[in-house]
């Protein structure tokens, strides 16, 4: 069955970096776009970024542009998010999701938690 | 990009119908038919309920339906059940080639 498993979260100091991963299985990963969405504690959902199936087109929320980089390795069925210059407001659960129809998030992983704290 | 506007909470009794609204602008919700709705139970990942304004993914109950008029989209849940109690979020594609979510609506089944 379709499965997305996020990893790479943890506790990081302000200004630090992390690389999140999303391992995909059960579907043709190289055929679909992929999203990252985050949710701060007790808050709503915030869309972060989207990458098209071939990795050539990438889109970012203004709040993360220049600090976050989305990428994918279709040979490894894995989605990535490089997060630099971390701030307290980046503390959240980060979800990856499949965009079967590009601009909807059709299947979600369980998320990985990023905590930015000194 | 400002968030879409949703009511903070709605409630209904079992068997009733409720509607959750989601208001945007002509630069997002009003300009495109890429409106989606998500259900999220506490501590769980969101689940897609409606995509492209009114389409239901396979496996989603036909008690859930979506529509749009102008800059406002709506999610209607008919025959309300206890398991429908959750947070609901709308999202829309924008003219900046980004996505924006609504602030979320807490549905309480009385």
């Amino acid at each position: 069955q379709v499965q997305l498993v996020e990893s790479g979260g943890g506790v990081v100091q302000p200004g630090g970096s992390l690389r999140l991963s999303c391992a995909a299985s059960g579907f043709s990963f190289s055929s679909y776009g992929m999203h990252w969405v985050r949710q701060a504690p007790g808050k709503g959902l915030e869309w972060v970024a989207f990458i098209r199936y071939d990795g050539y087109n990438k889109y970012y929320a203004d709040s993360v542009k220049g600090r976050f980089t989305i990428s994918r390795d279709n040979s490894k069925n894995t989605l990535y998010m490089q997060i630099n210059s971390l701030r307290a407001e980046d503390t959240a659960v980060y979800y990856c999701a499949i965009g079967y129809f590009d601009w909807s998030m059709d299947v979600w992983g369980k998320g990985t938690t990023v905590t930015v704290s000194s | 990009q400002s968030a879409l506007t949703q009511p903070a909470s709605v409630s209904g009794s079992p068997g009733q119908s409720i509607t959750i609204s989601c208001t945007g602008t002509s630069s997002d919700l009003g300009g495109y038919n890429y409106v989606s709705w998500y259900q999220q139970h506490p501590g769980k990942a969101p689940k897609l309920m409606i995509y492209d304004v009114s389409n239901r993914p396979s496996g989603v109950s036909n008690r859930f339906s979506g529509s749009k008029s102008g800059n406002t989209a709506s999610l209607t849940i008919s025959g309300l059940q206890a398991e429908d109690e959750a947070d609901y979020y709308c999202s829309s594609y924008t003219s900046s080639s980004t996505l924006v979510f609504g602030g979320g609506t807490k549905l309480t089944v009385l």
Side-chain angles (χ1 to χ4, degrees), chain A:
Chain A
Q1 74 279 22
V2 175
Q3 192 170 15
L4 299 172
V5 179
E6 301 94 337
S7 61
V11 180
V12 189
Q13 290 189 337
S17 298
L18 271 180
R19 189 176 82 156
L20 307 182
S21 299
C22 169
S25 59
F27 67 105
S28 179
F29 180 75
S30 61
S31 297
Y32 299 104
M34 296 290 295
H35 295 268
W36 284 102
V37 176
R38 67 183 180 181
Q39 187 169 34
K43 302 296 185 182
L45 301 174
E46 180 186 14
W47 176 79
V48 174
F50 172 67
I51 184 169
R52 290 203 182 271
Y53 70 98
D54 57 5
Y56 284 110
N57 294 99
K58 307 172 184 181
Y59 308 85
Y60 297 93
D62 287 345
S63 58
V64 306
K65 206 174 292 185
R67 296 190 301 122
F68 288 27
T69 302
I70 190 172
S71 63
R72 63 191 298 160
D73 186 336
N74 286 345
S75 68
K76 295 183 178 179
N77 287 353
T78 304
L79 174 73
Y80 302 101
M81 177 64 82
Q82 178 68 39
I83 307 177
N84 297 328
S85 304
L86 276 156
R87 307 166 179 169
E89 55 263 38
D90 296 320
T91 293
V93 176
Y94 286 73
Y95 297 100
C96 64
I98 307 169
Y100 285 142
F101 302 103
D102 281 350
W103 297 107
S104 59
M105 285 145 281
D106 302 74
V107 179
W108 297 61
K110 295 186 187 306
T112 187
T113 300
V114 173
T115 302
V116 183
S117 174
S118 54

